[in-house]
Amino acid sequence: MRNYYIAGNWKMHKTRAEAAELAKALAAQLKDGKHKYLVAPSFTALETVGAIIKGANIRLGAQNMAAEEMGAHTGEVSVLQLKDLGVQTVILGHSERRHVYKEDDALINRKVKLALKHGLEVILCIGELLEEREAGKAEQICETQTVKGLEGVAATDLANIVIAYEPVWAIGTGKTATPEDADAIHAYVRKVIGKLYGAAEAEKIIIQYGGSVKPENASLLMAKENIDGALVGGAALKPETFVPIAKFA
Ligand code: PGA
């Protein structure tokens, strides 16, 4: 039985004071929540938010991480620095990293392995562009991103991997994949994990859906057999929209 995992990606939003206000509201309102929760504020607010959710049932996540441990990498943030702030999880391969900042599968794979080496949980994002979907390539793209993202990852590390399927055309656009379309890709990705690691691991792995998740569509998505949670962007910025998703019925 897989537990639902609802994560909020705050992207490049919120000053420390604003992040603190949201974190306080979530800590209070999710106290009796039954699922696994995470918030991923900007690097600048990690320490502030970490102090507020300490001891609460909400994990602290970062939105990205360098592929190197330390050194001459101007503008990057290392796994050691994240761990120093109490970060437990890192989101890697988000579509904005892939398509705006041109991160490729090989770079993402190095980050995945480095994060795992240091004991962080990884949310590995995958997903196709609209033109790839229209060309009938959605499964193929998701398979490639999964296989390459996990290259060299041992089965013993799989417990620290979460996959987030985020069709790029559904992110921040208000267009959600239908629960049926999303579930079909989730089922396919689960099969890919099965091919790589065996059926038992495939059955266990958490696959979140992301892309315009809202209070109105959360329960319909979560009702699908292969959808085990959500990675929420826009709707994660306010307790009024994140809490109903996190407590979907
Ligand atoms: P969205 O973003 O919910 O605003 O579509 C999701 C994401 O990018 O993780």
Side-chain angles (χ1 to χ4, degrees), residues 9 11 94-96 166 170-174 210-213 231-235:
N9 171 11
K11 306 196 179 183
H94 188 276
S95 77
E96 284 142 26
E166 301 203 301
I171 297 179
T173 57
S212 301
V213 176
L231 182 53
V232 186

Side-chain angles (χ1 to χ4, degrees), residues 26-38 53-59:
L26 295 181
Q29 294 176 43
L30 292 180
K31 211 165 40 198
D32 57 343
K34 291 192 294 284
H35 310 304
K36 182 174 173 182
Y37 302 120
L38 169 134
I53 62 176
K54 196 168 180 183
N57 57 343
I58 306 175
R59 297 173 69 88

Side-chain angles (χ1 to χ4, degrees), residues 109 113 116 147-155 157 197:
N109 176 248
K113 286 188 289 194
L116 292 172
V147 171
K148 292 193 170 174
L150 296 178
E151 207 173 285
V153 171
D157 272 332
Y197 297 98

Side-chain angles (χ1 to χ4, degrees), residues 128-139 141 165 167 169 175:
E128 80 286 357
L129 298 164
L130 184 58
E131 54 265 39
E132 292 166 337
R133 170 157 286 260
E134 286 171 346
K137 290 186 183 157
E139 290 184 349
I141 296 292
Y165 169 57
W169 46 273
K175 276 188 217 160

Side-chain angles (χ1 to χ4, degrees), residues 45-107:
L46 281 170
E47 188 168 15
T48 304
V49 170
I52 291 166
I53 62 176
K54 196 168 180 183
N57 57 343
I58 306 175
R59 297 173 69 88
L60 183 64
Q63 300 171 16
N64 190 21
M65 183 194 98
E68 308 292 337
E69 245 161 45
M70 65 174 81
H73 296 281
T74 302
E76 292 288 309
V77 177
S78 92
V79 63
L80 303 175
Q81 293 165 332
L82 295 181
K83 289 200 64 171
D84 184 43
L85 293 175
V87 167
Q88 298 158 292
T89 302
V90 61
I91 299 171
L92 295 173
H94 188 276
S95 77
E96 284 142 26
R97 301 305 316 171
R98 291 179 188 268
H99 299 291
V100 185
Y101 295 97
K102 307 296 174 207
E103 293 194 12
D104 62 13
D105 287 315
L107 177 69

